[in-house]
Amino acid sequence: MALIKCENLLTGYNGVAVSASVSFEISSGDYLCIVGSNGSGKSTLIKTLLGLEKPVGGKVLFSDGLISRQIGYLPQQSEVQKDFPASVWEIVLSGTLNKIHLRPFYSRKEKQLACEALEKMEISHLKNKCYRTLSGGQQQRVLLARALCAASRLILLDEPVTGLDPKATAEMYHLIEKLNKDGVTVIMISHDVDEAVKYASHILTIGKDHSHFQTVEDYITFHGEHCHHHHEGEE
């Protein structure tokens, strides 16, 4: 059973589509990478899946009791305050807010969730540090831990390695892959197709005129050696 099914989905703003329609299905445990040039509507698609934007046309179907509130979201770096004056623990714990509804305190269960997320991201030792004193890679891990507290089944990541150095980038990809192998479904916008095909199960290529959804095997077969040069000049 598909977790998310999009049928001829047109995304955009104020009723104006920004890219060609997309049709795809995401099942539990999948790892989808969304690729395409700047301005092709990748972030708009993510925001539509989150319910932050309304579809211009077509539809998004959620199954299995999944609702947009149960999706973890790691926004683009530019949309996140880097000088957040809070501790790592406070930020990660705040990811559980959609679970506590109107209770004025965090229960042991929420605190346990936050502890587990810190461990998965290998940042338990940073628990009491102030977020703004961390490196870019550490900040991204904190935000990913927060997303995991919000939802353990499905996470949407918008270019999670932008601005990170090669070591932090490799570590981030490794942690996301580990989560996926543990059963978390991943939808990630990626600028680096070479990396995407190493980890993903499916690739969605978005363009102004057409969009294409395929397995990674089909993508590699279709693009062959070309996929090693595909992302150059996309910036």
Side-chain angles (χ1 to χ4, degrees), residues 51-87:
L52 302 173
E53 294 291 339
K54 284 191 169 64
V56 172
K59 51 187 159 185
V60 183
L61 305 165
F62 293 99
S63 77
D64 219 12
L66 183 79
I67 49 173
S68 55
R69 220 180 43 235
Q70 293 173 315
I71 299 174
Y73 176 46
L74 180 63
Q76 267 186 34
Q77 280 275 32
S78 57
E79 295 179 27
V80 177
Q81 275 185 292
K82 286 197 181 354
D83 59 348
F84 220 42
S87 74

mmCIF file of all heavy atoms in Angstrom, residues 51-87:
data_model
loop_
_atom_site.group_PDB
_atom_site.id
_atom_site.type_symbol
_atom_site.label_atom_id
_atom_site.label_comp_id
_atom_site.label_asym_id
_atom_site.label_seq_id
_atom_site.Cartn_x
_atom_site.Cartn_y
_atom_site.Cartn_z
ATOM 1 N N GLY A 51 1.223 20.039 2.882
ATOM 2 C CA GLY A 51 -0.036 20.763 3.075
ATOM 3 C C GLY A 51 0.152 22.253 3.275
ATOM 4 O O GLY A 51 -0.786 22.965 3.643
ATOM 5 N N LEU A 52 1.374 22.758 3.021
ATOM 6 C CA LEU A 52 1.633 24.197 3.180
ATOM 7 C C LEU A 52 1.187 24.974 1.945
ATOM 8 O O LEU A 52 0.956 26.172 1.999
ATOM 9 C CB LEU A 52 3.127 24.445 3.435
ATOM 10 C CG LEU A 52 3.723 23.735 4.655
ATOM 11 C CD1 LEU A 52 5.228 23.919 4.712
ATOM 12 C CD2 LEU A 52 3.082 24.252 5.941
ATOM 13 N N GLU A 53 1.123 24.282 0.801
ATOM 14 C CA GLU A 53 0.617 24.879 -0.441
ATOM 15 C C GLU A 53 -0.497 23.982 -0.973
ATOM 16 O O GLU A 53 -0.439 22.763 -0.828
ATOM 17 C CB GLU A 53 1.736 24.976 -1.500
ATOM 18 C CG GLU A 53 2.872 25.924 -1.166
ATOM 19 C CD GLU A 53 2.454 27.399 -1.199
ATOM 20 O OE1 GLU A 53 1.433 27.721 -1.840
ATOM 21 O OE2 GLU A 53 3.151 28.209 -0.572
ATOM 22 N N LYS A 54 -1.487 24.593 -1.614
ATOM 23 C CA LYS A 54 -2.570 23.804 -2.207
ATOM 24 C C LYS A 54 -2.176 23.378 -3.629
ATOM 25 O O LYS A 54 -1.545 24.143 -4.349
ATOM 26 C CB LYS A 54 -3.847 24.654 -2.292
ATOM 27 C CG LYS A 54 -4.542 24.835 -0.971
ATOM 28 C CD LYS A 54 -5.930 25.459 -1.197
ATOM 29 C CE LYS A 54 -6.778 25.403 0.067
ATOM 30 N NZ LYS A 54 -6.221 26.190 1.153
ATOM 31 N N PRO A 55 -2.560 22.163 -4.042
ATOM 32 C CA PRO A 55 -2.275 21.753 -5.423
ATOM 33 C C PRO A 55 -2.985 22.674 -6.418
ATOM 34 O O PRO A 55 -4.100 23.127 -6.162
ATOM 35 C CB PRO A 55 -2.859 20.342 -5.512
ATOM 36 C CG PRO A 55 -2.996 19.873 -4.103
ATOM 37 C CD PRO A 55 -3.238 21.103 -3.286
ATOM 38 N N VAL A 56 -2.324 22.939 -7.550
ATOM 39 C CA VAL A 56 -2.947 23.727 -8.617
ATOM 40 C C VAL A 56 -3.883 22.811 -9.407
ATOM 41 O O VAL A 56 -4.915 23.220 -9.919
ATOM 42 C CB VAL A 56 -1.858 24.337 -9.543
ATOM 43 C CG1 VAL A 56 -2.481 25.004 -10.759
ATOM 44 C CG2 VAL A 56 -1.004 25.334 -8.761
ATOM 45 N N GLY A 57 -3.506 21.539 -9.485
ATOM 46 C CA GLY A 57 -4.333 20.544 -10.172
ATOM 47 C C GLY A 57 -3.932 19.152 -9.719
ATOM 48 O O GLY A 57 -2.915 18.975 -9.053
ATOM 49 N N GLY A 58 -4.733 18.146 -10.084
ATOM 50 C CA GLY A 58 -4.423 16.776 -9.685
ATOM 51 C C GLY A 58 -4.626 16.585 -8.193
ATOM 52 O O GLY A 58 -5.225 17.420 -7.517
ATOM 53 N N LYS A 59 -4.115 15.473 -7.677
ATOM 54 C CA LYS A 59 -4.328 15.255 -6.238
ATOM 55 C C LYS A 59 -3.197 14.504 -5.545
ATOM 56 O O LYS A 59 -2.413 13.807 -6.173
ATOM 57 C CB LYS A 59 -5.657 14.553 -5.998
ATOM 58 C CG LYS A 59 -5.902 13.320 -6.803
ATOM 59 C CD LYS A 59 -7.337 12.857 -6.549
ATOM 60 C CE LYS A 59 -7.844 11.949 -7.661
ATOM 61 N NZ LYS A 59 -9.211 11.560 -7.543
ATOM 62 N N VAL A 60 -3.165 14.689 -4.225
ATOM 63 C CA VAL A 60 -2.234 13.972 -3.351
ATOM 64 C C VAL A 60 -3.078 13.105 -2.427
ATOM 65 O O VAL A 60 -3.965 13.615 -1.750
ATOM 66 C CB VAL A 60 -1.406 14.946 -2.467
ATOM 67 C CG1 VAL A 60 -0.403 14.156 -1.640
ATOM 68 C CG2 VAL A 60 -0.696 15.985 -3.296
ATOM 69 N N LEU A 61 -2.802 11.811 -2.432
ATOM 70 C CA LEU A 61 -3.557 10.907 -1.569
ATOM 71 C C LEU A 61 -2.636 10.309 -0.502
ATOM 72 O O LEU A 61 -1.566 9.777 -0.825
ATOM 73 C CB LEU A 61 -4.164 9.763 -2.403
ATOM 74 C CG LEU A 61 -5.048 10.209 -3.584
ATOM 75 C CD1 LEU A 61 -5.293 9.054 -4.531
ATOM 76 C CD2 LEU A 61 -6.361 10.779 -3.079
ATOM 77 N N PHE A 62 -3.042 10.414 0.737
ATOM 78 C CA PHE A 62 -2.277 9.814 1.841
ATOM 79 C C PHE A 62 -3.006 8.547 2.271
ATOM 80 O O PHE A 62 -4.220 8.543 2.367
ATOM 81 C CB PHE A 62 -2.207 10.765 3.044
ATOM 82 C CG PHE A 62 -1.408 11.991 2.795
ATOM 83 C CD1 PHE A 62 -2.031 13.192 2.467
ATOM 84 C CD2 PHE A 62 -0.030 11.966 2.876
ATOM 85 C CE1 PHE A 62 -1.290 14.335 2.228
ATOM 86 C CE2 PHE A 62 0.721 13.103 2.638
ATOM 87 C CZ PHE A 62 0.092 14.290 2.322
ATOM 88 N N SER A 63 -2.235 7.495 2.546
ATOM 89 C CA SER A 63 -2.899 6.261 2.957
ATOM 90 C C SER A 63 -2.513 5.890 4.373
ATOM 91 O O SER A 63 -1.655 6.516 4.976
ATOM 92 C CB SER A 63 -2.478 5.127 2.037
ATOM 93 O OG SER A 63 -1.193 4.707 2.403
ATOM 94 N N ASP A 64 -3.172 4.833 4.839
ATOM 95 C CA ASP A 64 -2.706 4.220 6.066
ATOM 96 C C ASP A 64 -2.752 5.167 7.251
ATOM 97 O O ASP A 64 -1.892 5.125 8.124
ATOM 98 C CB ASP A 64 -1.250 3.780 5.827
ATOM 99 C CG ASP A 64 -0.980 2.445 6.478
ATOM 100 O OD1 ASP A 64 -1.963 1.811 6.875
ATOM 101 O OD2 ASP A 64 0.189 2.071 6.593
ATOM 102 N N GLY A 65 -3.693 6.086 7.251
ATOM 103 C CA GLY A 65 -3.815 7.004 8.376
ATOM 104 C C GLY A 65 -2.725 8.059 8.437
ATOM 105 O O GLY A 65 -2.623 8.792 9.407
ATOM 106 N N LEU A 66 -1.902 8.136 7.387
ATOM 107 C CA LEU A 66 -0.830 9.143 7.387
ATOM 108 C C LEU A 66 -1.431 10.510 7.081
ATOM 109 O O LEU A 66 -2.191 10.670 6.136
ATOM 110 C CB LEU A 66 0.216 8.796 6.320
ATOM 111 C CG LEU A 66 1.418 9.721 6.267
ATOM 112 C CD1 LEU A 66 2.414 9.388 7.368
ATOM 113 C CD2 LEU A 66 2.120 9.608 4.918
ATOM 114 N N ILE A 67 -1.101 11.496 7.896
ATOM 115 C CA ILE A 67 -1.553 12.852 7.616
ATOM 116 C C ILE A 67 -0.335 13.762 7.611
ATOM 117 O O ILE A 67 0.712 13.410 8.145
ATOM 118 C CB ILE A 67 -2.593 13.348 8.660
ATOM 119 C CG1 ILE A 67 -2.083 13.087 10.090
ATOM 120 C CG2 ILE A 67 -3.946 12.708 8.442
ATOM 121 C CD1 ILE A 67 -2.945 13.678 11.172
ATOM 122 N N SER A 68 -0.477 14.925 7.015
ATOM 123 C CA SER A 68 0.695 15.782 6.860
ATOM 124 C C SER A 68 1.329 16.158 8.192
ATOM 125 O O SER A 68 2.514 16.445 8.258
ATOM 126 C CB SER A 68 0.342 17.044 6.066
ATOM 127 O OG SER A 68 -0.740 17.719 6.654
ATOM 128 N N ARG A 69 0.537 16.121 9.291
ATOM 129 C CA ARG A 69 1.099 16.445 10.594
ATOM 130 C C ARG A 69 2.092 15.378 11.063
ATOM 131 O O ARG A 69 2.875 15.597 11.970
ATOM 132 C CB ARG A 69 -0.035 16.577 11.614
ATOM 133 C CG ARG A 69 0.169 17.710 12.578
ATOM 134 C CD ARG A 69 -0.919 17.885 13.594
ATOM 135 N NE ARG A 69 -1.420 16.685 14.201
ATOM 136 C CZ ARG A 69 -2.696 16.344 14.207
ATOM 137 N NH1 ARG A 69 -3.578 17.094 13.600
ATOM 138 N NH2 ARG A 69 -3.099 15.259 14.819
ATOM 139 N N GLN A 70 2.017 14.192 10.455
ATOM 140 C CA GLN A 70 2.897 13.094 10.871
ATOM 141 C C GLN A 70 4.139 12.980 9.990
ATOM 142 O O GLN A 70 4.800 11.961 9.985
ATOM 143 C CB GLN A 70 2.130 11.773 10.817
ATOM 144 C CG GLN A 70 1.032 11.700 11.852
ATOM 145 C CD GLN A 70 0.188 10.459 11.653
ATOM 146 O OE1 GLN A 70 -0.192 10.122 10.538
ATOM 147 N NE2 GLN A 70 -0.120 9.773 12.742
ATOM 148 N N ILE A 71 4.425 14.025 9.220
ATOM 149 C CA ILE A 71 5.599 14.009 8.353
ATOM 150 C C ILE A 71 6.674 14.892 8.977
ATOM 151 O O ILE A 71 6.414 16.031 9.351
ATOM 152 C CB ILE A 71 5.242 14.531 6.941
ATOM 153 C CG1 ILE A 71 4.168 13.646 6.291
ATOM 154 C CG2 ILE A 71 6.487 14.565 6.062
ATOM 155 C CD1 ILE A 71 3.657 14.155 4.961
ATOM 156 N N GLY A 72 7.880 14.341 9.112
ATOM 157 C CA GLY A 72 8.995 15.142 9.604
ATOM 158 C C GLY A 72 9.552 15.980 8.464
ATOM 159 O O GLY A 72 9.610 15.510 7.323
ATOM 160 N N TYR A 73 9.963 17.206 8.740
ATOM 161 C CA TYR A 73 10.389 18.119 7.679
ATOM 162 C C TYR A 73 11.682 18.821 8.056
ATOM 163 O O TYR A 73 11.794 19.399 9.138
ATOM 164 C CB TYR A 73 9.269 19.145 7.440
ATOM 165 C CG TYR A 73 9.572 20.236 6.434
ATOM 166 C CD1 TYR A 73 10.153 19.945 5.207
ATOM 167 C CD2 TYR A 73 9.235 21.557 6.715
ATOM 168 C CE1 TYR A 73 10.406 20.959 4.279
ATOM 169 C CE2 TYR A 73 9.473 22.572 5.800
ATOM 170 C CZ TYR A 73 10.059 22.262 4.578
ATOM 171 O OH TYR A 73 10.307 23.260 3.668
ATOM 172 N N LEU A 74 12.661 18.730 7.172
ATOM 173 C CA LEU A 74 13.918 19.462 7.344
ATOM 174 C C LEU A 74 13.986 20.493 6.220
ATOM 175 O O LEU A 74 14.252 20.154 5.072
ATOM 176 C CB LEU A 74 15.113 18.497 7.265
ATOM 177 C CG LEU A 74 16.498 19.108 7.428
ATOM 178 C CD1 LEU A 74 16.669 19.732 8.806
ATOM 179 C CD2 LEU A 74 17.578 18.061 7.218
ATOM 180 N N PRO A 75 13.689 21.772 6.530
ATOM 181 C CA PRO A 75 13.654 22.787 5.472
ATOM 182 C C PRO A 75 15.051 23.141 4.958
ATOM 183 O O PRO A 75 16.061 22.687 5.510
ATOM 184 C CB PRO A 75 13.009 23.998 6.157
ATOM 185 C CG PRO A 75 13.140 23.775 7.610
ATOM 186 C CD PRO A 75 13.378 22.315 7.852
ATOM 187 N N GLN A 76 15.079 23.936 3.883
ATOM 188 C CA GLN A 76 16.360 24.411 3.371
ATOM 189 C C GLN A 76 17.062 25.246 4.430
ATOM 190 O O GLN A 76 16.420 25.945 5.201
ATOM 191 C CB GLN A 76 16.131 25.271 2.126
ATOM 192 C CG GLN A 76 16.208 24.490 0.841
ATOM 193 C CD GLN A 76 16.117 25.388 -0.379
ATOM 194 O OE1 GLN A 76 16.595 26.510 -0.360
ATOM 195 N NE2 GLN A 76 15.498 24.887 -1.427
ATOM 196 N N GLN A 77 18.388 25.190 4.417
ATOM 197 C CA GLN A 77 19.191 25.948 5.378
ATOM 198 C C GLN A 77 18.782 27.410 5.434
ATOM 199 O O GLN A 77 18.699 28.004 6.493
ATOM 200 C CB GLN A 77 20.680 25.876 4.986
ATOM 201 C CG GLN A 77 21.349 24.591 5.402
ATOM 202 C CD GLN A 77 21.851 24.638 6.834
ATOM 203 O OE1 GLN A 77 21.272 25.283 7.694
ATOM 204 N NE2 GLN A 77 22.919 23.936 7.095
ATOM 205 N N SER A 78 18.538 28.007 4.261
ATOM 206 C CA SER A 78 18.240 29.449 4.205
ATOM 207 C C SER A 78 16.963 29.808 4.965
ATOM 208 O O SER A 78 16.764 30.948 5.349
ATOM 209 C CB SER A 78 18.106 29.896 2.743
ATOM 210 O OG SER A 78 17.103 29.138 2.112
ATOM 211 N N GLU A 79 16.088 28.802 5.172
ATOM 212 C CA GLU A 79 14.813 29.085 5.841
ATOM 213 C C GLU A 79 14.896 28.841 7.343
ATOM 214 O O GLU A 79 13.910 28.951 8.055
ATOM 215 C CB GLU A 79 13.712 28.214 5.225
ATOM 216 C CG GLU A 79 13.429 28.555 3.771
ATOM 217 C CD GLU A 79 12.358 27.664 3.167
ATOM 218 O OE1 GLU A 79 11.506 27.170 3.911
ATOM 219 O OE2 GLU A 79 12.396 27.475 1.944
ATOM 220 N N VAL A 80 16.078 28.488 7.816
ATOM 221 C CA VAL A 80 16.245 28.174 9.233
ATOM 222 C C VAL A 80 17.125 29.231 9.887
ATOM 223 O O VAL A 80 18.139 29.623 9.338
ATOM 224 C CB VAL A 80 16.908 26.787 9.393
ATOM 225 C CG1 VAL A 80 17.146 26.486 10.860
ATOM 226 C CG2 VAL A 80 16.064 25.702 8.755
ATOM 227 N N GLN A 81 16.714 29.692 11.055
ATOM 228 C CA GLN A 81 17.548 30.651 11.797
ATOM 229 C C GLN A 81 18.778 29.943 12.339
ATOM 230 O O GLN A 81 18.667 28.983 13.086
ATOM 231 C CB GLN A 81 16.754 31.220 12.966
ATOM 232 C CG GLN A 81 15.894 32.401 12.595
ATOM 233 C CD GLN A 81 15.250 32.962 13.847
ATOM 234 O OE1 GLN A 81 14.413 32.318 14.449
ATOM 235 N NE2 GLN A 81 15.658 34.145 14.240
ATOM 236 N N LYS A 82 19.937 30.422 11.938
ATOM 237 C CA LYS A 82 21.166 29.780 12.403
ATOM 238 C C LYS A 82 21.533 30.202 13.832
ATOM 239 O O LYS A 82 22.276 29.542 14.517
ATOM 240 C CB LYS A 82 22.322 30.135 11.464
ATOM 241 C CG LYS A 82 22.247 29.400 10.127
ATOM 242 C CD LYS A 82 23.597 29.489 9.460
ATOM 243 C CE LYS A 82 23.692 28.843 8.110
ATOM 244 N NZ LYS A 82 22.611 28.106 7.588
ATOM 245 N N ASP A 83 21.013 31.358 14.248
ATOM 246 C CA ASP A 83 21.404 31.856 15.581
ATOM 247 C C ASP A 83 20.298 31.637 16.611
ATOM 248 O O ASP A 83 20.090 32.418 17.516
ATOM 249 C CB ASP A 83 21.788 33.341 15.500
ATOM 250 C CG ASP A 83 20.643 34.200 14.977
ATOM 251 O OD1 ASP A 83 19.658 33.615 14.469
ATOM 252 O OD2 ASP A 83 20.732 35.435 15.065
ATOM 253 N N PHE A 84 19.574 30.553 16.440
ATOM 254 C CA PHE A 84 18.504 30.168 17.353
ATOM 255 C C PHE A 84 19.027 30.131 18.791
ATOM 256 O O PHE A 84 19.925 29.352 19.091
ATOM 257 C CB PHE A 84 18.063 28.763 16.932
ATOM 258 C CG PHE A 84 16.584 28.550 16.994
ATOM 259 C CD1 PHE A 84 15.705 29.515 16.548
ATOM 260 C CD2 PHE A 84 16.081 27.356 17.490
ATOM 261 C CE1 PHE A 84 14.338 29.304 16.597
ATOM 262 C CE2 PHE A 84 14.711 27.135 17.540
ATOM 263 C CZ PHE A 84 13.849 28.119 17.089
ATOM 264 N N PRO A 85 18.507 30.950 19.702
ATOM 265 C CA PRO A 85 19.081 30.997 21.064
ATOM 266 C C PRO A 85 18.503 29.915 21.975
ATOM 267 O O PRO A 85 17.977 30.196 23.032
ATOM 268 C CB PRO A 85 18.674 32.389 21.544
ATOM 269 C CG PRO A 85 17.374 32.632 20.858
ATOM 270 C CD PRO A 85 17.400 31.893 19.542
ATOM 271 N N ALA A 86 18.583 28.666 21.540
ATOM 272 C CA ALA A 86 18.037 27.580 22.352
ATOM 273 C C ALA A 86 19.050 26.452 22.410
ATOM 274 O O ALA A 86 19.959 26.374 21.590
ATOM 275 C CB ALA A 86 16.729 27.077 21.737
ATOM 276 N N SER A 87 18.874 25.561 23.384
ATOM 277 C CA SER A 87 19.789 24.418 23.484
ATOM 278 C C SER A 87 19.356 23.346 22.492
ATOM 279 O O SER A 87 18.200 23.311 22.042
ATOM 280 C CB SER A 87 19.770 23.842 24.897
ATOM 281 O OG SER A 87 18.571 23.108 25.114
#
